[in-house]
Amino acid sequence: MTDDLGFGIDIGGSGMKAATVDLTTGKLMSKRHRIDTPQPATPDAMALVVRELIGVHEWTGPLGVAFPAVVRHGVVGSAANIDASWIDVDADALFTTTTGCDVHMLNDADAAGIAEMTFGAGRGRRGVVMMLTFGTGIGSGLFIDGVLVPNTELGHLELDGFDAEQRASAKARERESLSWQEWAGRVERYLRHVEALFSPDLFIVGGGASKKPDKWLPKIDIETEIVAAHMANNSGIVGAALAARPTVPPAP
Ligand code: BGC
């Protein structure tokens, strides 16, 4: 194993995906392995899948885990699309025990944003950049001059009297069998709301819905520049691996 190689797991409401990552380029260096998120998505059940995912890749180095909830210093602080028993669990300690790896946990949209700011659509972009992921929920990663403000949770803004992700996530499109046009209308309404609150310079959209950006992105009419994530749905894996990178000790 070289220092240039990392490993990331992206835990979502429906799938847990993992791969080795070249930390100098952001490219996946192994086949992406996906296992369905266990239901109920409890800490013990998910820890077993994390162990299986590193076992498949025979990984023993630093492990980055992108998690679909608020994560503060390794501790889970919310549970919108996972089992409620996660709240207040030290996920960092749990996964460190089950894998034996040096684990670094962070919110999944924050991870996706780190990857896009480093290698993708946000590379070199200053000002206010907002990563938004449209999947089972809506995740947000806010960057100011390239620095992450973690755990912004903008998928839970109120939209037309609902939790926004209930109306405008990719899952909502599938659940309500919406056409791309109908769904894009909801996403546009949501983006206009976020736009009014934050006046961002750039939106980067990722998550499951970013696999087919041509179907809906051209239908979005907002003031702010908006682009699809360059790494599509792999940015969570790449960002998690980057976040777990061992820090270089300061020169003596
Ligand atoms: C969670 C966020 C997460 C997003 C995307 C939301 O329901 O509250 O923490 O980033 O889903 O997975």
Side-chain angles (χ1 to χ4, degrees), residues 11-13 67-70 78-81 107-110 133 135-140 151 153 155-156 165:
I11 298 186
F67 201 75
V70 169
S78 67
N81 291 306
N107 171 263
D108 56 357
D110 289 345
T133 61
T136 308
I138 297 177
S140 59
N151 294 311
E153 292 290 318
H156 299 295
E165 72 176 21

Side-chain angles (χ1 to χ4, degrees), residues 197-222:
L197 291 173
F198 291 89
S199 303
D201 296 294
L202 174 69
F203 281 120
I204 305 172
V205 291
S210 65
K211 281 184 268 181
K212 295 180 181 167
D214 299 349
K215 300 260 188 208
W216 61 280
L217 209 43
K219 303 184 196 307
I220 302 283
D221 179 20
I222 55 173

Side-chain angles (χ1 to χ4, degrees), residues 99-123:
T99 62
C101 296
D102 178 11
V103 174
H104 187 97
M105 303 282 307
L106 73 168
N107 171 263
D108 56 357
D110 289 345
I114 289 171
E116 290 295 326
M117 295 303 286
T118 310
F119 298 116
R123 185 174 193 156

Side-chain angles (χ1 to χ4, degrees), residues 23 28 34 42-43 62 74 91 112 116 121 127 148 166 171 174-175 177 192-193 230 235 237 252:
L23 299 173
L28 299 196
R34 181 189 187 280
T42 58
E116 290 295 326
L148 171 68
Q166 296 301 322
K171 187 173 172 190
E174 287 162 21
R175 191 182 53 229
S177 304
R192 283 190 174 276
H193 189 40
H230 286 185
S235 30
I237 294 176

Side-chain angles (χ1 to χ4, degrees), residues 6 29 50 90 108-109 131 151 154 161-162 166 168 205 215 245 252:
M29 299 303 284
V50 167
D90 188 335
D108 56 357
M131 173 87 207
N151 294 311
L154 299 180
F162 292 89
Q166 296 301 322
V205 291
K215 300 260 188 208
R245 202 170 19 184

